[in-house]
Amino acid sequence: LANDTTFLEEIESSLKIERYMRLNSALKSNSNIEAIKLVKAGEKNERRERANLLLRELIRTSDIYVNNEKLDIKEKNPEERINDALRSLVDIVYSKLGYIKKSITSTKEIVDILLNDNNQVTINSLNENPNKNAVDEVNRYIERQSIGNNSITVKSVINHFIKAPFGWSDLDIEGIIAYLFKNQNIKMEFGGENLSTNDKNVTNYITKRDNLEKTKIKTRVSVPDSHIKSAKNISNLVFNTTITKFDEDSVMIDFKETLKDNLNYIKQLLEQYRRFNYPGKKILERGQELIEEVLSYKEPVAFFKTVNSLKGDFEDYGDDVADVLSFFKQGNPQKKNFETAIDRIEHSKENMSYLDEEAKELIEQMKNIVNMESPYKNIHELPIIIDKYNDKLVELYEEEAKKVRPIIKSHQEEVLNYLRKFNFYDEFKSRYFDKFENLNEELNSVRRFSDVVAIPDKSDRIKNQCIKEIDMEYKNRMPDKVTESEEDDCDGGSAVLIQQKTILIAKSSIIPYQPVIKSREDIDILIKAIETKLEKELEEKGEFKLV
């Protein structure tokens, strides 16, 4: 200010008048005193106005210094000169405050940054950040701290940039951090887990007071474009899924989702191998190992580096697994034909002794195909081989059936001949005739040799049951004068006392059906067996008659 103290004298006189009036305000007043006070009050106000005018004039023309430097501010309104000076002071102390061209006023704006629809936000894009210089400052600061292996958190970044020479607001700093994160200049961790730009909680990790110290920041090492391209190519060529994103985080997320879907499908397919030894199990297991290895990486650089290094393995897997996936595809007959072939092979194991050379050769042809490591080009041959084998089985069944039908016929005739001895023959003839005809129908429908072989025993049981029923019917119809002795079962046979001491025994219970005699020794064995049986019947039942 100029060397003029008049304004100070005016201020001093004004203050003295104000002090006088305050100290004497409690005295008794009269009209003279009130008149004096009124005059002095007017004088006080006049002096203040003169002091104000004098001071404003001095400021308008005075020299202004900031930080020991004279400012070149033209003479003008005092308020404007003071504001200009204060702005200059701020510019000197907070020299980088002006880097914030567009301030953030709410967390919603931070959410908008993170939800930017661009595949990748770039400083040099058409959507250039107006706070470019501030973004660069924060990015360089994080890079420097990372080089020194210093722990960086959202809190530490905010603390640095709210001070001189920056003086930025918390929201502005948090917005820049969100921008760098979206731009993939930095990566963030919370609770030891890498955060994704798609994580809905990222805004809270950046802005909530309780999370600021827990959210760690690191400089992101960029992933080579070739590695990202490898992942997208593998997704497209091997897993038939196109990834349209370009930034590494989005590509990583989409590719991982594709891998997880395929891994789940592989596990579902491997469950089916519990039922049959389908081809391609090793291929699926190799694919499972590849996918699980890649999914174990959470950090983008390591993730894409691993994917790129396994590119050849994925391509080989893609070539090999195509046939496997086609095999299990709904509507493809390969799987059904393969299962039928396995069923026929298992059938042959149970009936090998009944098969001829032609049937065995057909089984070998099926085995050669189903045991191939990659049978997919040969599976189409299976239906023809299976049909030939089934036709051959029908022939072999029929050959076995030819041996059995006479036995059924013999048992049928034996029952009917026995029935003829009684006066209720006509009443029961069709009933017992049908029992054996039904057995013939069963014989025509069986599809296992073991079932064919079991028919004679079943026929014999039916025969014995029929004879037993006939005996029971006769006993129920006997006159009262005829006394009943005893009824007994003997090895499938049955006896009813017609006369008091005589019991009827079926010959079939004594002589085995169609014994094969090849030598004198066979005759001796048969005679001995019959003799033993007859002696036993005589001992247990006494007198009997063979019918």
Side-chain angles (χ1 to χ4, degrees):
L1 296 177
N3 191 17
D4 184 354
T5 61
T6 305
F7 79 96
L8 292 176
E9 294 172 358
E10 293 292 342
I11 292 173
E12 183 179 1
S13 297
S14 174
L15 291 174
K16 286 179 178 180
I17 293 171
E18 182 179 1
R19 181 169 177 274
Y20 170 80
M21 294 175 66
R22 188 171 59 252
L23 292 175
N24 294 284
S25 60
L27 297 177
K28 290 183 179 181
S29 179
N30 54 42
S31 57
N32 293 331
I33 293 176
E34 290 300 324
I36 294 171
K37 287 183 178 180
L38 186 60
V39 172
K40 287 297 182 182
E43 182 182 351
K44 180 189 74 172
N45 291 335
E46 290 177 1
R47 289 183 180 279
R48 284 190 174 181
E49 289 178 5
R50 283 198 297 272
N52 182 274
L53 291 173
L54 291 170
L55 183 58
R56 289 175 65 85
E57 180 62 22
L58 289 173
I59 293 174
R60 188 179 70 81
T61 59
S62 66
D63 295 332
I64 299 177
Y65 291 82
V66 171
N67 202 25
N68 294 324
E69 291 186 9
K70 182 179 178 181
L71 300 181
D72 183 17
I73 301 177
K74 295 181 180 180
E75 295 182 5
K76 55 183 175 180
N77 187 296
E79 288 86 351
E80 293 181 7
R81 296 198 79 202
I82 291 173
N83 287 335
D84 288 346
L86 290 174
R87 276 193 289 272
S88 297
L89 176 62
V90 170
D91 288 341
I92 292 173
V93 177
Y94 293 96
S95 59
K96 297 183 179 181
L97 179 63
Y99 286 5
I100 301 295
K101 303 296 183 182
K102 181 180 179 181
S103 294
I104 291 179
T105 59
S106 68
T107 55
K108 183 181 181 303
E109 295 180 55
I110 296 177
V111 173
D112 292 340
I113 292 173
L114 293 170
L115 295 180
N116 193 304
D117 291 333
N118 291 338
N119 285 324
Q120 184 175 9
V121 183
T122 58
I123 292 176
N124 296 319
S125 69
L126 294 174
N127 300 335
E128 184 174 353
N129 194 322
N131 299 330
K132 177 182 180 302
N133 291 334
V135 171
D136 290 341
E137 283 287 344
V138 175
N139 194 30
R140 284 195 294 268
Y141 171 75
I142 294 173
E143 287 178 352
R144 290 194 301 272
Q145 296 300 309
S146 296
I147 293 173
N149 292 323
N150 296 319
S151 177
I152 313 170
T153 65
V154 173
K155 180 66 175 176
S156 65
V157 174
I158 292 174
N159 287 342
H160 180 76
F161 287 98
I162 60 175
K163 299 175 183 178
F166 308 101
W168 304 335
S169 71
D170 289 10
L171 279 176
D172 285 333
I173 299 169
E174 290 162 355
I176 292 172
I177 292 173
Y179 185 88
L180 289 171
F181 183 59
K182 181 67 177 181
N183 189 44
Q184 298 188 351
N185 295 100
I186 62 173
K187 61 181 181 179
M188 293 194 296
E189 296 179 0
F190 188 86
E193 294 289 333
N194 283 316
L195 299 181
S196 164
T197 54
N198 296 328
D199 192 328
K200 296 179 180 179
N201 293 316
V202 170
T203 304
N204 291 335
Y205 297 146
I206 294 175
T207 61
K208 295 297 182 183
R209 184 179 302 275
D210 293 341
N211 296 329
L212 300 183
E213 196 69 43
K214 301 175 185 176
T215 306
K216 298 186 179 300
I217 300 175
K218 294 181 180 179
T219 296
R220 180 189 289 269
V221 179
S222 61
V223 176
D225 291 340
S226 60
H227 291 185
I228 297 176
K229 185 178 180 180
S230 292
K232 296 177 71 172
N233 287 341
I234 292 171
S235 179
N236 184 31
L237 299 177
V238 179
F239 300 108
N240 298 317
T241 302
T242 301
I243 298 177
T244 59
K245 308 292 178 58
F246 294 94
D247 62 289
E248 59 194 56
D249 276 349
S250 298
V251 173
M252 179 175 173
I253 290 170
D254 288 356
F255 189 40
K256 276 195 169 185
E257 286 301 315
T258 297
L259 293 178
K260 289 176 182 177
D261 290 342
N262 279 270
L263 180 60
N264 290 333
Y265 185 54
I266 288 174
K267 290 180 178 179
Q268 292 175 15
L269 294 182
L270 289 174
E271 283 294 318
Q272 298 193 41
Y273 285 83
R274 295 175 180 270
R275 296 176 55 245
F276 292 102
N277 186 25
Y278 295 118
K281 184 177 182 180
K282 291 182 179 179
I283 295 173
L284 292 175
E285 290 175 337
R286 175 156 53 90
Q288 181 179 4
E289 291 175 1
L290 275 174
I291 293 173
E292 288 178 342
E293 179 179 355
V294 171
L295 288 176
S296 66
Y297 290 93
K298 299 180 180 179
E299 201 279 322
V301 173
F303 174 83
F304 284 104
K305 182 179 180 181
T306 302
V307 171
N308 187 65
S309 67
L310 296 174
K311 180 180 179 182
D313 295 321
F314 272 110
E315 290 175 348
D316 292 341
Y317 166 72
D319 293 337
D320 296 338
V321 82
D323 288 333
V324 182
L325 298 180
S326 177
F327 176 86
F328 285 102
K329 188 176 182 180
Q330 188 174 4
N332 190 337
Q334 283 190 328
K335 181 170 175 281
K336 183 178 180 181
N337 292 335
F338 192 90
E339 291 173 351
T340 304
I342 292 178
D343 178 72
R344 296 292 80 191
I345 292 171
E346 291 300 317
H347 174 275
S348 70
K349 293 178 182 178
E350 301 173 4
N351 301 278
M352 191 61 70
S353 59
Y354 299 98
L355 302 182
D356 61 11
E357 292 303 317
E358 183 181 351
K360 292 178 180 178
E361 174 58 27
L362 292 171
I363 288 297
E364 286 302 314
Q365 292 178 24
M366 283 187 253
K367 285 182 178 179
N368 289 338
I369 293 176
V370 300
N371 290 333
M372 288 180 179
E373 186 173 348
S374 181
Y376 309 104
K377 294 181 180 179
N378 303 87
I379 291 179
H380 71 277
E381 302 172 11
L382 286 176
I384 298 175
I385 301 173
I386 292 170
D387 287 343
K388 289 182 179 179
Y389 178 74
N390 288 337
D391 292 342
K392 189 63 182 176
L393 282 181
V394 172
E395 294 179 16
L396 296 175
Y397 287 146
E398 183 57 30
E399 290 179 9
E400 291 296 323
K402 287 179 181 178
K403 301 175 185 178
V404 175
R405 288 193 184 97
I407 298 173
I408 298 175
K409 183 67 175 176
S410 173
H411 290 162
Q412 184 184 51
E413 291 176 352
E414 188 173 339
V415 170
L416 293 177
N417 288 336
Y418 186 65
L419 183 62
R420 285 190 182 93
K421 299 179 183 294
F422 303 93
N423 58 7
F424 46 82
Y425 171 76
D426 292 335
E427 185 180 347
F428 289 91
K429 175 185 177 182
S430 61
R431 173 181 175 182
Y432 293 123
F433 180 85
D434 289 343
K435 284 181 178 288
F436 292 96
E437 288 305 305
N438 292 338
L439 195 58
N440 272 316
E441 290 297 323
E442 182 180 338
L443 177 63
N444 293 334
S445 63
V446 295
R447 287 297 176 263
R448 291 187 180 275
F449 290 103
S450 57
D451 295 335
V452 177
V453 173
I455 293 293
D457 287 338
K458 187 173 184 179
S459 177
D460 188 59
R461 289 194 299 273
I462 292 174
K463 179 203 70 174
N464 291 328
Q465 181 64 31
C466 291
I467 291 176
K468 184 176 180 181
E469 291 176 2
I470 294 170
D471 289 345
M472 183 62 67
E473 183 66 25
Y474 172 74
K475 184 176 69 172
N476 291 337
R477 297 186 182 204
M478 285 177 62
D480 294 340
K481 65 179 180 177
V482 179
T483 60
E484 177 177 320
S485 174
E486 62 180 351
E487 178 182 355
D488 195 11
D489 294 330
C490 52
D491 296 328
S494 152
V496 175
L497 180 64
I498 297 178
Q499 302 299 327
Q500 188 170 358
K501 291 291 185 179
T502 304
I503 297 174
L504 299 180
I505 297 178
K507 295 175 184 178
S508 61
S509 66
I510 302 299
I511 304 173
Y513 62 86
Q514 294 186 342
V516 178
I517 306 298
K518 294 182 180 180
S519 63
R520 177 67 189 178
E521 192 175 273
D522 292 335
I523 296 174
D524 292 340
I525 292 173
L526 177 60
I527 292 174
K528 182 63 177 176
I530 294 173
E531 181 181 4
T532 301
K533 188 70 173 176
L534 290 172
E535 288 176 352
K536 182 178 180 182
E537 294 292 342
L538 182 62
E539 181 181 347
E540 294 180 354
K541 299 181 176 62
E543 181 181 336
F544 63 86
K545 181 179 180 179
L546 293 176
V547 294

mmCIF file of all heavy atoms in Angstrom, residues 17 49 54 109 147 166 173 223-224 234 262 266 321 352 365 370 438-439 466 512 526 542:
data_model
loop_
_atom_site.group_PDB
_atom_site.id
_atom_site.type_symbol
_atom_site.label_atom_id
_atom_site.label_comp_id
_atom_site.label_asym_id
_atom_site.label_seq_id
_atom_site.Cartn_x
_atom_site.Cartn_y
_atom_site.Cartn_z
ATOM 1 N N ILE A 17 -14.801 6.325 19.077
ATOM 2 C CA ILE A 17 -16.203 6.766 19.262
ATOM 3 C C ILE A 17 -17.062 5.566 19.676
ATOM 4 O O ILE A 17 -17.894 5.664 20.578
ATOM 5 C CB ILE A 17 -16.732 7.395 17.968
ATOM 6 C CG1 ILE A 17 -15.997 8.708 17.672
ATOM 7 C CG2 ILE A 17 -18.238 7.653 18.059
ATOM 8 C CD1 ILE A 17 -16.292 9.304 16.315
ATOM 9 N N GLU A 49 -16.836 4.984 6.511
ATOM 10 C CA GLU A 49 -17.010 5.062 5.066
ATOM 11 C C GLU A 49 -15.779 5.670 4.405
ATOM 12 O O GLU A 49 -15.336 5.200 3.351
ATOM 13 C CB GLU A 49 -18.253 5.880 4.737
ATOM 14 C CG GLU A 49 -19.556 5.168 5.083
ATOM 15 C CD GLU A 49 -20.765 6.025 4.788
ATOM 16 O OE1 GLU A 49 -20.565 7.128 4.218
ATOM 17 O OE2 GLU A 49 -21.897 5.612 5.100
ATOM 18 N N LEU A 54 -10.851 5.131 1.289
ATOM 19 C CA LEU A 54 -9.395 5.309 1.220
ATOM 20 C C LEU A 54 -8.672 3.984 1.009
ATOM 21 O O LEU A 54 -7.737 3.885 0.206
ATOM 22 C CB LEU A 54 -8.902 5.994 2.518
ATOM 23 C CG LEU A 54 -9.312 7.451 2.699
ATOM 24 C CD1 LEU A 54 -8.976 7.940 4.115
ATOM 25 C CD2 LEU A 54 -8.611 8.342 1.663
ATOM 26 N N GLU A 109 -21.214 -41.077 -11.107
ATOM 27 C CA GLU A 109 -20.338 -40.808 -12.235
ATOM 28 C C GLU A 109 -19.202 -41.835 -12.298
ATOM 29 O O GLU A 109 -18.751 -42.200 -13.384
ATOM 30 C CB GLU A 109 -19.776 -39.390 -12.137
ATOM 31 C CG GLU A 109 -20.839 -38.305 -12.266
ATOM 32 C CD GLU A 109 -20.245 -36.918 -12.169
ATOM 33 O OE1 GLU A 109 -19.317 -36.607 -12.937
ATOM 34 O OE2 GLU A 109 -20.697 -36.137 -11.303
ATOM 35 N N ILE A 147 7.428 -49.833 -8.903
ATOM 36 C CA ILE A 147 8.844 -50.141 -9.133
ATOM 37 C C ILE A 147 9.570 -50.320 -7.810
ATOM 38 O O ILE A 147 10.440 -51.175 -7.661
ATOM 39 C CB ILE A 147 9.503 -49.024 -9.974
ATOM 40 C CG1 ILE A 147 8.912 -49.027 -11.383
ATOM 41 C CG2 ILE A 147 11.019 -49.209 -10.022
ATOM 42 C CD1 ILE A 147 9.382 -47.862 -12.244
ATOM 43 N N PHE A 166 -1.358 -30.731 -5.649
ATOM 44 C CA PHE A 166 -2.537 -31.197 -6.372
ATOM 45 C C PHE A 166 -3.820 -30.617 -5.781
ATOM 46 O O PHE A 166 -4.525 -29.852 -6.425
ATOM 47 C CB PHE A 166 -2.585 -32.727 -6.370
ATOM 48 C CG PHE A 166 -1.318 -33.369 -6.837
ATOM 49 C CD1 PHE A 166 -0.382 -33.901 -5.938
ATOM 50 C CD2 PHE A 166 -1.009 -33.406 -8.188
ATOM 51 C CE1 PHE A 166 0.783 -34.480 -6.376
ATOM 52 C CE2 PHE A 166 0.172 -33.990 -8.637
ATOM 53 C CZ PHE A 166 1.078 -34.523 -7.728
ATOM 54 N N ILE A 173 -10.159 -38.080 -7.415
ATOM 55 C CA ILE A 173 -9.078 -39.083 -7.387
ATOM 56 C C ILE A 173 -9.660 -40.479 -7.600
ATOM 57 O O ILE A 173 -9.116 -41.294 -8.363
ATOM 58 C CB ILE A 173 -8.309 -39.005 -6.048
ATOM 59 C CG1 ILE A 173 -7.684 -37.621 -5.890
ATOM 60 C CG2 ILE A 173 -7.234 -40.087 -5.989
ATOM 61 C CD1 ILE A 173 -7.140 -37.344 -4.494
ATOM 62 N N VAL A 223 -0.863 -57.410 -21.550
ATOM 63 C CA VAL A 223 -0.799 -58.719 -22.207
ATOM 64 C C VAL A 223 -0.544 -58.505 -23.693
ATOM 65 O O VAL A 223 -1.225 -57.680 -24.328
ATOM 66 C CB VAL A 223 -2.116 -59.483 -22.011
ATOM 67 C CG1 VAL A 223 -2.088 -60.802 -22.769
ATOM 68 C CG2 VAL A 223 -2.367 -59.727 -20.530
ATOM 69 N N PRO A 224 0.402 -59.201 -24.278
ATOM 70 C CA PRO A 224 0.647 -59.053 -25.719
ATOM 71 C C PRO A 224 -0.617 -59.348 -26.524
ATOM 72 O O PRO A 224 -1.373 -60.268 -26.200
ATOM 73 C CB PRO A 224 1.746 -60.089 -26.002
ATOM 74 C CG PRO A 224 2.425 -60.289 -24.692
ATOM 75 C CD PRO A 224 1.352 -60.140 -23.648
ATOM 76 N N ILE A 234 -8.607 -69.962 -30.052
ATOM 77 C CA ILE A 234 -8.892 -71.260 -29.431
ATOM 78 C C ILE A 234 -10.381 -71.366 -29.100
ATOM 79 O O ILE A 234 -11.011 -72.404 -29.331
ATOM 80 C CB ILE A 234 -8.035 -71.449 -28.163
ATOM 81 C CG1 ILE A 234 -6.562 -71.604 -28.533
ATOM 82 C CG2 ILE A 234 -8.508 -72.670 -27.356
ATOM 83 C CD1 ILE A 234 -5.624 -71.585 -27.347
ATOM 84 N N ASN A 262 -17.463 -76.068 -21.078
ATOM 85 C CA ASN A 262 -16.942 -77.282 -21.711
ATOM 86 C C ASN A 262 -16.439 -78.279 -20.676
ATOM 87 O O ASN A 262 -16.575 -79.490 -20.860
ATOM 88 C CB ASN A 262 -15.820 -76.926 -22.688
ATOM 89 C CG ASN A 262 -16.346 -76.440 -24.021
ATOM 90 O OD1 ASN A 262 -16.562 -77.229 -24.941
ATOM 91 N ND2 ASN A 262 -16.557 -75.136 -24.140
ATOM 92 N N ILE A 266 -17.638 -82.091 -20.297
ATOM 93 C CA ILE A 266 -16.687 -83.208 -20.290
ATOM 94 C C ILE A 266 -16.942 -84.114 -19.091
ATOM 95 O O ILE A 266 -16.949 -85.349 -19.203
ATOM 96 C CB ILE A 266 -15.240 -82.675 -20.269
ATOM 97 C CG1 ILE A 266 -14.872 -82.073 -21.630
ATOM 98 C CG2 ILE A 266 -14.251 -83.784 -19.915
ATOM 99 C CD1 ILE A 266 -13.523 -81.395 -21.658
ATOM 100 N N VAL A 321 -11.147 -84.333 -30.332
ATOM 101 C CA VAL A 321 -12.401 -84.435 -29.579
ATOM 102 C C VAL A 321 -13.631 -84.285 -30.470
ATOM 103 O O VAL A 321 -14.749 -84.622 -30.046
ATOM 104 C CB VAL A 321 -12.437 -83.374 -28.461
ATOM 105 C CG1 VAL A 321 -12.882 -82.007 -29.011
ATOM 106 C CG2 VAL A 321 -13.359 -83.809 -27.331
ATOM 107 N N MET A 352 -20.776 -118.850 -25.225
ATOM 108 C CA MET A 352 -19.709 -119.209 -26.162
ATOM 109 C C MET A 352 -19.723 -120.691 -26.539
ATOM 110 O O MET A 352 -19.451 -121.058 -27.693
ATOM 111 C CB MET A 352 -18.353 -118.823 -25.569
ATOM 112 C CG MET A 352 -17.200 -118.920 -26.562
ATOM 113 S SD MET A 352 -17.415 -117.820 -27.991
ATOM 114 C CE MET A 352 -17.186 -116.218 -27.230
ATOM 115 N N GLN A 365 -15.135 -109.757 -35.104
ATOM 116 C CA GLN A 365 -15.203 -108.544 -35.913
ATOM 117 C C GLN A 365 -15.732 -107.370 -35.084
ATOM 118 O O GLN A 365 -15.246 -106.241 -35.189
ATOM 119 C CB GLN A 365 -16.098 -108.783 -37.127
ATOM 120 C CG GLN A 365 -15.514 -109.766 -38.137
ATOM 121 C CD GLN A 365 -16.456 -110.013 -39.297
ATOM 122 O OE1 GLN A 365 -17.308 -109.197 -39.618
ATOM 123 N NE2 GLN A 365 -16.295 -111.172 -39.942
ATOM 124 N N VAL A 370 -14.879 -102.258 -31.579
ATOM 125 C CA VAL A 370 -15.136 -101.574 -30.303
ATOM 126 C C VAL A 370 -13.858 -101.389 -29.488
ATOM 127 O O VAL A 370 -13.806 -100.519 -28.615
ATOM 128 C CB VAL A 370 -16.189 -102.330 -29.458
ATOM 129 C CG1 VAL A 370 -17.493 -102.437 -30.197
ATOM 130 C CG2 VAL A 370 -15.693 -103.716 -29.045
ATOM 131 N N ASN A 438 -48.140 -123.862 -24.700
ATOM 132 C CA ASN A 438 -47.609 -122.576 -24.208
ATOM 133 C C ASN A 438 -46.103 -122.644 -24.006
ATOM 134 O O ASN A 438 -45.376 -121.673 -24.238
ATOM 135 C CB ASN A 438 -48.287 -122.184 -22.906
ATOM 136 C CG ASN A 438 -49.748 -121.829 -23.098
ATOM 137 O OD1 ASN A 438 -50.165 -121.474 -24.203
ATOM 138 N ND2 ASN A 438 -50.535 -121.930 -22.033
ATOM 139 N N LEU A 439 -45.642 -123.769 -23.576
ATOM 140 C CA LEU A 439 -44.202 -123.951 -23.387
ATOM 141 C C LEU A 439 -43.474 -123.924 -24.728
ATOM 142 O O LEU A 439 -42.364 -123.408 -24.842
ATOM 143 C CB LEU A 439 -43.944 -125.276 -22.654
ATOM 144 C CG LEU A 439 -42.535 -125.451 -22.055
ATOM 145 C CD1 LEU A 439 -42.231 -124.336 -21.064
ATOM 146 C CD2 LEU A 439 -42.420 -126.802 -21.372
ATOM 147 N N CYS A 466 -48.886 -131.843 -13.581
ATOM 148 C CA CYS A 466 -50.138 -132.293 -14.215
ATOM 149 C C CYS A 466 -50.582 -133.664 -13.676
ATOM 150 O O CYS A 466 -51.769 -133.884 -13.366
ATOM 151 C CB CYS A 466 -49.965 -132.371 -15.731
ATOM 152 S SG CYS A 466 -49.797 -130.756 -16.520
ATOM 153 N N PRO A 512 -34.364 -141.282 -16.753
ATOM 154 C CA PRO A 512 -34.044 -139.943 -17.265
ATOM 155 C C PRO A 512 -34.479 -139.795 -18.719
ATOM 156 O O PRO A 512 -34.451 -140.762 -19.465
ATOM 157 C CB PRO A 512 -32.516 -139.868 -17.130
ATOM 158 C CG PRO A 512 -32.169 -140.917 -16.127
ATOM 159 C CD PRO A 512 -33.181 -142.016 -16.284
ATOM 160 N N LEU A 526 -26.793 -146.447 -16.624
ATOM 161 C CA LEU A 526 -28.225 -146.199 -16.682
ATOM 162 C C LEU A 526 -28.998 -147.251 -15.897
ATOM 163 O O LEU A 526 -29.909 -146.936 -15.122
ATOM 164 C CB LEU A 526 -28.689 -146.164 -18.141
ATOM 165 C CG LEU A 526 -30.184 -145.976 -18.372
ATOM 166 C CD1 LEU A 526 -30.653 -144.647 -17.768
ATOM 167 C CD2 LEU A 526 -30.527 -146.034 -19.858
ATOM 168 N N GLY A 542 -43.779 -149.197 -1.047
ATOM 169 C CA GLY A 542 -44.292 -150.574 -1.159
ATOM 170 C C GLY A 542 -44.663 -150.888 -2.596
ATOM 171 O O GLY A 542 -44.006 -150.428 -3.542
#
